[in-house]
């Protein structure tokens, strides 16, 4: 029996991931991986923007598009003082579940990507999305000696408490810069 995607029942849950070999053509596998990635990005946006009772979201995520090599989102903090703190995120989505030993999410992040993400002089994070359970986990990528990852810690789920901790962490990082302006060589002297 074929499913919505025209392939056997087992193919959609595994989405042609690298460690499972089925005889599919490459374009079908790529489309399925792209669909999984797009769904993970949407889930990240939803997880970061719940409407608390009587309030509004504390984050404003903006997808950067496929042209950015290491980053998927810039996320602004809502409700900061007179400046707009932000952070960057790379989203990795999987349907492979968790490791047996430490209950880590099975996602892969190559060393080049980890180094690339950490090279931004701003708070940066890797988010792993479990597409099946529709949950996400956050890990710092701010140069803490990370190498490549074959799995991601589930210690920091994207939930109300961790969203607030993240907001405070990023706001505290940028607060040291709030009163510093760039003395640009390109300033318009007539507009002063």
């Amino acid at each position: 029996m074929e499913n919505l995607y025209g392939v056997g029942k087992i193919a959609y849950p595994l989405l042609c991931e690298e460690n499972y070999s089925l005889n599919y053509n490459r374009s079908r596998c790529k489309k399925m991986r792209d669909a999984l990635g797009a769904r993970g990005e949407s889930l990240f946006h939803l997880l970061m923007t719940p409407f608390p009772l009587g309030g509004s979201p504390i984050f404003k995520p903006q997808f950067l598009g496929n042209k950015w090599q290491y980053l998927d989102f810039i996320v602004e903090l809502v409700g900061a003082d007179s400046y707009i703190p932000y952070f960057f995120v790379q989203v990795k989505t999987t349907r492979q579940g968790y490791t047996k030993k430490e209950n880590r999410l099975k996602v892969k992040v190559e060393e080049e990507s980890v180094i690339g993400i950490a090279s931004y002089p701003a708070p940066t994070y890797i988010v792993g999305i479990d597409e099946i359970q529709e949950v996400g986990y956050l890990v710092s990528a701010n140069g803490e000696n990370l190498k490549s990852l074959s799995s991601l810690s589930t210690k920091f789920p994207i939930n109300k408490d961790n969203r607030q901790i993240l907001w405070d962490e990023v706001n505290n990082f940028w607060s040291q810069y709030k009163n510093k302006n760039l003395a640009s060589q390109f300033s318009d002297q007539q507009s002063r």
Side-chain angles (χ1 to χ4, degrees):
M1 177 178 194
E2 290 192 348
N3 65 15
L4 168 68
Y5 297 96
V7 294
K9 287 182 184 179
I10 200 165
Y12 177 69
L14 295 171
L15 288 170
C16 301
E17 291 176 339
E18 293 81 13
N19 60 356
Y20 193 82
S21 58
L22 292 174
N23 190 18
Y24 290 113
N25 66 42
R26 289 183 182 184
S27 67
R28 179 175 278 179
C29 288
K30 182 175 179 354
K31 287 177 186 176
M32 293 172 83
R33 279 193 303 269
D34 289 350
L36 178 67
R39 182 157 160 73
E41 291 156 356
S42 295
L43 287 168
F44 168 73
H45 193 282
L46 288 170
L47 290 168
M48 294 300 289
T49 58
F51 279 83
L53 189 61
S56 61
I58 61 173
F59 295 110
K60 183 181 171 188
Q62 178 61 51
F63 182 62
L64 294 171
N66 295 327
K67 301 295 183 194
W68 288 70
Q69 185 172 3
Y70 303 117
L71 303 171
D72 295 315
F73 285 89
I74 183 171
V75 183
E76 294 179 353
L77 276 57
V78 176
D81 292 332
S82 59
Y83 59 101
I84 301 173
Y86 61 91
F87 60 97
F88 294 110
V89 172
Q90 183 182 79
V91 176
K92 292 292 186 179
T93 309
T94 187
R95 301 189 101 223
Q96 291 187 8
Y98 301 83
T99 62
K100 291 179 182 175
K101 187 175 181 181
E102 296 180 6
N103 196 42
R104 296 171 62 88
L105 187 65
K106 293 180 181 178
V107 294
K108 292 181 182 176
V109 185
E110 301 296 327
E111 183 175 10
E112 177 188 351
S113 289
V114 174
I115 292 168
I117 296 163
S119 69
Y120 285 85
T124 54
Y125 301 89
I126 299 169
V127 170
I129 299 288
D130 176 343
E131 191 268 342
I132 294 171
Q133 294 185 24
E134 297 184 346
V135 296
Y137 304 95
L138 183 75
V139 173
S140 172
N142 292 291
E144 296 93 349
N145 297 320
L146 289 177
K147 299 290 183 196
S148 63
L149 298 171
S150 60
S151 64
L152 193 83
S153 172
T154 56
K155 185 176 179 182
F156 307 107
I158 299 176
N159 59 28
K160 181 181 178 182
D161 291 340
N162 285 333
R163 279 190 298 270
Q164 188 60 56
I165 291 168
L166 177 62
W167 194 98
D168 292 338
E169 178 174 288
V170 173
N171 189 51
N172 290 339
F173 174 85
W174 288 110
S175 67
Q176 63 186 316
Y177 299 105
K178 70 180 178 181
N179 294 323
K180 296 180 182 177
N181 291 323
L182 173 66
S184 177
Q185 299 297 311
F186 303 99
S187 61
D188 183 351
Q189 299 299 318
Q190 285 187 336
S191 66
R192 293 181 182 231

